[in-house]
């Protein structure tokens, strides 16, 4: 189907009625990393280089950037004229790309999309690809926010996690980011193999010593199709993991970092715009190998997935066929899809936002909302959809109420 015909089809009348389109973000997937971690189930692919080093070969990067350009250009009719509020360059390990290649990528995007003034541009970086002044190069390329995959500062724990960096590299990378960027994020993991509360406390002390504007803290989970799924390590039990989360919340709060989402803590003015747009059921165009998109139209919500394997993605993108599959979100699925995101936010969202972003009436969730309030999982505020403290602790149970809303 040609692009004009596809757009006509997407604009036809349907069962939903969205009064306005939500904000639009752009996600760019750069799929390579130095080593696949045993807990990782992301679409990432090991880059094996005999020469070593922390950069992809120029030819590899150039070919992938050409595929991204073709992918973006083919997608433009679906988002024509819509300004972009944030860009997130994720992976894999995007910092395997040299600063001049990231500059080319951002320039390619700017030439094709209208970016809102002050558009947040985040790049994921790993300490294992850190070189002195490399982060400064990313800043000069147009990146405004760095997200550093530290995971731990403990050498033994990093080794158990299969990370390519050590604690000294973690500290050097964060110190450089703090010097170069006004806002940056540290990624930490907890409930690590054999981790004690004291060891987590030490990790937190190291992270908080850098006074990060934003901290993301994730519970290690054993995902299917990972090395840890085949050989599970001994991890803290549920009670200890709960104590660890209490410690994280107490220590971050004491340092002026507010927990605004299940895994995210930030100082005032440093919340992640890109992730907030996801959680508030905004739109996002995803380009790159395996990237996902969620795009709204006046009468429907469309989800897309790109080809997952990098070589197949590059071949298909250059032929104008980057999307491997797509589907319209069914009306009955929208309440759960919305709540899967919005209820992760500590303050939830306004009921009005649910109406605007799903195109559904209040009656579509009235039963589930009543059940949530009866169980003490949802706040009583009729104008707001937000979990209580108990609901935040039993988030999956609360979200499941909306499966058959």
């Amino acid at each position: 189907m040609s692009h004009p015909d596809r757009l006509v089809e997407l604009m036809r009348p349907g069962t939903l009625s969205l009064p306005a389109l939500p904000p639009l973000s752009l996600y760019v997937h750069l799929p390579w990393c130095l080593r696949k971690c045993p807990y990782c189930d992301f679409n990432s692919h090991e880059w094996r280089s005999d020469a070593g080093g922390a950069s992809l070969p120029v030819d590899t990067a150039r070919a992938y950037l050409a595929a991204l350009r073709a992918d973006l250009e083919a997608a433009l009719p679906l988002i024509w004229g819509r300004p972009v509020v944030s860009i997130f360059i994720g992976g894999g390990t995007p910092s395997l790309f040299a600063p001049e290649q990231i500059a080319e990528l951002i320039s390619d995007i700017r030439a094709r999309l209208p970016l809102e003034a002050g558009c947040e541009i985040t790049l994921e970086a790993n300490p294992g690809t850190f070189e002195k002044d490399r982060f400064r190069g990313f800043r000069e390329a147009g990146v405004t926010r760095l997200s550093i995959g530290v995971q731990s500062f403990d050498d033994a724990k990093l080794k158990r996690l299969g990370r390519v960096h050590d604690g000294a590299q973690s500290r050097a990378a964060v110190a450089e980011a703090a010097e170069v960027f006004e806002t940056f994020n540290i990624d930490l993991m907890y409930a690590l193999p054999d981790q004690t509360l004291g060891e987590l406390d030490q990790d937190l002390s190291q992270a908080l010593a850098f006074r990060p504007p934003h901290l993301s803290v994730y519970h290690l989970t054993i995902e299917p199709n990972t090395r840890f799924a085949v050989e599970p390590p001994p991890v803290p039990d549920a009670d200890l993991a709960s104590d660890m989360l209490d410690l994280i919340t107490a220590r971050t709060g004491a340092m002026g970092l507010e927990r605004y989402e299940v895994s995210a803590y930030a100082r005032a003015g440093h919340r992640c715009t890109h992730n907030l747009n996801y959680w508030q059921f905004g739109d996002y165009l995803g380009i790159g190998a395996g990237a996902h998109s969620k795009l709204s139209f006046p009468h429907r919500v469309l989800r897309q997935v790109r080809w997952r394997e990098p070589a197949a993605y590059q071949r298909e993108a250059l032929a104008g066929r980057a999307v491997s599959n797509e589907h319209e979100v069914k009306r009955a699925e929208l309440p759960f899809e919305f709540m899967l995101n919005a209820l992760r936010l500590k303050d939830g969202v306004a009921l009005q936002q649910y109406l605007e972003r799903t195109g559904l009436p209040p009656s579509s969730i009235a039963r589930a909302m009543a059940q949530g309030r009866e169980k003490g999982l949802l706040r009583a505020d009729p104008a707001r959809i937000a979990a209580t403290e108990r609901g935040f602790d039993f988030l999956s149970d609360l979200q499941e109420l909306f499966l058959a809303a």
Side-chain angles (χ1 to χ4, degrees):
M1 187 182 294
S2 70
H3 292 310
D5 291 343
R6 181 76 183 104
L7 196 54
V8 168
E9 184 193 357
L10 289 167
M11 296 299 286
R12 75 190 189 284
T15 60
L16 306 178
S17 182
L18 277 67
L21 299 181
L24 175 69
S25 294
L26 175 69
Y27 175 77
V28 184
H29 193 71
L30 306 184
W32 291 287
C33 54
L34 289 173
R35 184 195 298 161
K36 184 81 170 177
C37 296
Y39 58 84
C40 176
D41 68 339
F42 293 160
N43 183 30
S44 59
H45 302 262
E46 283 191 15
W47 178 260
R48 298 189 181 277
S49 170
D50 296 334
S55 287
L56 288 170
V58 172
D59 289 350
T60 303
R62 186 179 293 135
Y64 194 76
L65 291 174
L68 289 173
R69 278 194 296 274
D71 188 355
L72 180 55
E73 286 181 358
L76 288 179
L78 302 183
I79 55 167
W80 203 254
R82 293 179 64 180
V84 171
V85 299
S86 66
I87 299 168
F88 196 100
I89 305 168
T93 302
S95 49
L96 279 174
F97 283 67
E100 55 268 26
Q101 292 158 353
I102 298 298
E104 182 182 336
L105 170 62
I106 293 172
S107 176
D108 287 343
I109 294 167
R110 286 187 180 279
R112 290 163 179 80
L113 289 176
L115 306 189
E116 280 202 354
C119 176
E120 176 190 89
I121 303 178
T122 301
L123 177 83
E124 281 187 335
N126 277 343
T129 58
F130 171 72
E131 297 167 356
K132 184 71 179 165
D133 292 331
R134 193 174 181 87
F135 289 176
R136 197 173 299 278
F138 292 137
R139 176 72 213 224
E140 289 166 0
V143 173
T144 66
R145 182 178 182 274
L146 209 63
S147 186
I148 312 163
V150 168
Q151 314 315 349
S152 176
F153 292 93
D154 181 314
D155 287 350
K157 291 291 182 280
L158 288 167
K159 194 169 183 180
R160 294 286 295 276
L161 290 172
R163 303 297 289 177
V164 297
H165 65 274
D166 59 21
Q169 286 173 302
S170 290
R171 289 185 287 276
V174 177
E176 181 99 347
E179 191 179 309
V180 174
F181 286 89
E182 288 81 34
T183 191
F184 66 94
N185 171 61
I186 297 175
D187 267 356
L188 275 185
M189 296 177 80
Y190 73 99
L192 303 180
D194 293 316
Q195 189 176 38
T196 66
L197 200 60
E199 287 171 334
L200 171 64
D201 198 36
Q202 286 183 319
D203 261 352
L204 283 170
S205 293
Q206 296 253 320
L208 294 171
F210 291 102
R211 300 193 58 80
H214 194 286
L215 187 65
S216 297
V217 189
Y218 301 102
H219 186 298
L220 173 65
T221 51
I222 309 300
E223 302 287 357
N225 304 314
T226 63
R227 290 214 304 279
F228 273 178
V230 178
E231 300 174 16
V235 292
D237 62 23
D239 287 342
L240 178 52
S242 179
D243 290 343
M244 287 178 167
L245 183 57
D246 289 344
L247 176 67
I248 292 163
T249 302
R251 292 216 52 194
T252 50
M255 291 289 289
L257 290 156
E258 182 186 2
R259 188 184 189 191
Y260 70 101
E261 187 268 344
V262 168
S263 303
Y265 302 77
R267 298 188 192 284
H270 290 278
R271 294 182 178 188
C272 178
T273 301
H274 188 85
N275 286 345
L276 274 172
N277 194 37
Y278 282 161
W279 297 322
Q280 293 171 345
F281 213 55
D283 277 359
Y284 49 94
L285 172 67
I287 62 172
H292 290 242
S293 300
K294 178 234 163 196
L295 299 172
S296 299
F297 299 88
H299 303 292
R300 59 191 34 82
V301 175
L302 179 73
R303 288 199 179 275
Q304 298 180 323
V305 185
R306 264 64 178 164
W307 291 94
R308 182 177 174 85
E309 204 276 320
Y313 165 74
Q314 289 175 87
R315 182 184 68 245
E316 298 297 327
L318 290 170
R321 301 187 299 262
V323 177
S324 60
N325 59 76
E326 64 180 30
H327 69 276
E328 289 181 24
V329 182
K330 293 175 183 172
R331 182 185 173 97
E333 293 170 350
L334 277 167
F336 179 67
E337 288 215 9
F338 183 92
M339 298 305 171
L340 206 54
N341 294 279
L343 289 172
R344 291 177 61 93
L345 290 167
K346 191 76 172 167
D347 294 330
V349 295
L351 174 63
Q352 186 62 31
Q353 197 167 76
Y354 170 80
L355 309 180
E356 289 173 356
R357 299 199 175 171
T358 63
L360 296 174
S363 58
S364 61
I365 52 169
R367 186 165 153 271
M369 292 286 288
Q371 285 180 320
R373 286 171 183 146
E374 283 167 20
K375 294 174 185 288
L377 303 176
L378 274 179
R379 293 189 211 166
D381 186 345
R384 193 153 199 87
I385 306 168
T388 58
E389 288 292 332
R390 176 178 165 77
F392 215 53
D393 288 339
F394 295 93
L395 193 55
S396 296
D397 296 340
L398 172 55
Q399 290 162 334
E400 282 172 13
L401 296 177
F402 294 88
L403 266 173

